[in-house]
């Protein structure tokens, strides 16, 4: 019997990560490293649509996840202080999606975001670890996910704000079941599945491009 030959998976479309768009109006630096620019197409599209956008950076040091969490929380506090009554909507993709979910579940006081949109988030660290996910969870935490429930969005209390989650059903990087398991246990989390891969949800040229602005508009309307 001849062995079964399966088709090779389609390559992951990462074109949005290197697409040039104009830079931000203002850059506030806190360190010597270059800024990551892969979210600029999305922030540019949202700005054109009338949103005021801020794209904070955070430290990525393997095995020291608290640095990333501290930076995200500090950025939210700083932006909330400027936004005053307007409030802050958090949007995060992939690892950033995990961080905004964590922030929404743990921050207190006037800087609490008024809503969170998570795009293809690593919403369940334990399950992501069990599935492998390219070793990203182990690299991030430096230890078993069970040892850090304080960083695992799926183990934290549900955020008190609306949480739409946009996840591609053909995600090649972060399995959609991570968002499914997260949303199933949280009444204010609404999973919005889209026929797309991992990076399409932040690509304003993709076929699912209206999904994120629509989610943000709905969040703004719930305030």
């Amino acid at each position: 019997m001849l062995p079964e030959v399966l088709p090779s998976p389609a390559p992951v479309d990462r074109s949005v990560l290197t697409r040039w768009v104009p830079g931000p109006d203002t850059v506030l630096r806190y360190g010597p490293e270059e800024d990551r620019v892969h979210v600029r197409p999305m922030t540019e599209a949202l700005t054109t649509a009338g949103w005021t956008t801020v794209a904070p950076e955070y430290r990525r040091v393997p095995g020291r996840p608290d640095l990333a969490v501290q930076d995200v929380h500090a950025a939210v506090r700083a932006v909330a202080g400027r936004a005053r009554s307007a409030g802050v909507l958090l949007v995060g993709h992939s690892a950033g999606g995990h961080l905004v979910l964590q922030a929404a579940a743990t921050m207190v006081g006037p800087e609490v975001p008024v809503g969170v949109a998570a795009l293809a988030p690593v919403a369940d660290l334990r399950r992501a670890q069990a599935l492998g996910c390219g070793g990203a969870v182990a690299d991030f935490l430096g230890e078993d996910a069970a040892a850090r429930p304080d960083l695992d969005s799926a183990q934290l209390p549900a955020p008190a704000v609306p949480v739409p989650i946009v996840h591609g059903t053909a995600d090649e990087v972060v399995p959609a079941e991570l968002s499914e398991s997260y949303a199933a246990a949280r009444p204010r989390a609404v999973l919005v599945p889209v026929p797309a891969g991992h990076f399409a949800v932040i690509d304003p040229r993709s076929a699912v491009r209206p999904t994120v602005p629509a989610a943000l508009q709905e969040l703004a309307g719930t305030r």
Side-chain angles (χ1 to χ4, degrees):
M1 179 181 293
L2 293 175
E4 182 181 12
V5 179
L6 299 176
S8 299
V12 179
D13 182 2
R14 302 174 184 269
S15 59
V16 69
L17 303 184
T18 54
R19 187 179 307 149
W20 184 87
V21 294
D25 296 329
T26 304
V27 175
L28 303 176
R29 291 194 176 276
Y30 63 84
E33 301 297 332
E34 291 295 325
D35 296 322
R36 289 171 66 89
V37 297
H38 76 277
V39 296
R40 284 187 182 176
M42 174 61 78
T43 55
E44 174 75 6
L46 291 174
T47 300
T48 301
W51 295 90
T52 299
T53 61
V54 180
E57 181 56 287
Y58 54 87
R59 286 170 287 180
R60 295 169 175 81
V61 182
R64 299 188 65 188
D66 295 292
L67 297 179
V69 172
Q70 290 165 12
D71 289 346
V72 169
H73 286 214
V76 174
R77 286 193 294 270
V79 174
R82 292 172 179 252
R84 297 184 177 90
S85 61
V88 175
L89 300 177
L90 297 185
V91 184
H93 174 248
S94 197
H98 156 253
L99 289 170
V100 297
L101 290 175
Q102 195 276 344
T106 58
M107 296 189 74
V108 297
E111 68 270 11
V112 173
V114 298
V116 179
L119 314 179
V122 186
D124 187 330
L125 293 185
R126 291 188 187 183
R127 186 166 297 208
Q129 178 179 270
L131 293 174
C133 291
V137 174
D139 290 343
F140 174 63
L141 294 177
E143 58 185 329
D144 190 274
R148 294 302 306 266
D150 60 313
L151 297 184
D152 192 344
S153 304
Q155 305 300 318
L156 290 168
V161 297
V163 183
I165 301 176
V166 180
H167 211 130
T169 55
D171 196 315
E172 323 87 328
V173 180
V174 177
E177 68 177 84
L178 301 185
S179 290
E180 292 167 359
S181 66
Y182 177 89
R186 287 158 179 78
R188 303 206 72 180
V190 177
L191 179 59
V192 183
V194 292
H198 187 65
F199 296 102
V201 295
I202 60 166
D203 188 346
R205 294 184 183 176
S206 75
V208 298
R209 62 186 177 276
T211 308
V212 174
L216 293 180
Q217 195 61 51
E218 185 171 345
L219 279 177
T222 61
R223 295 182 52 216

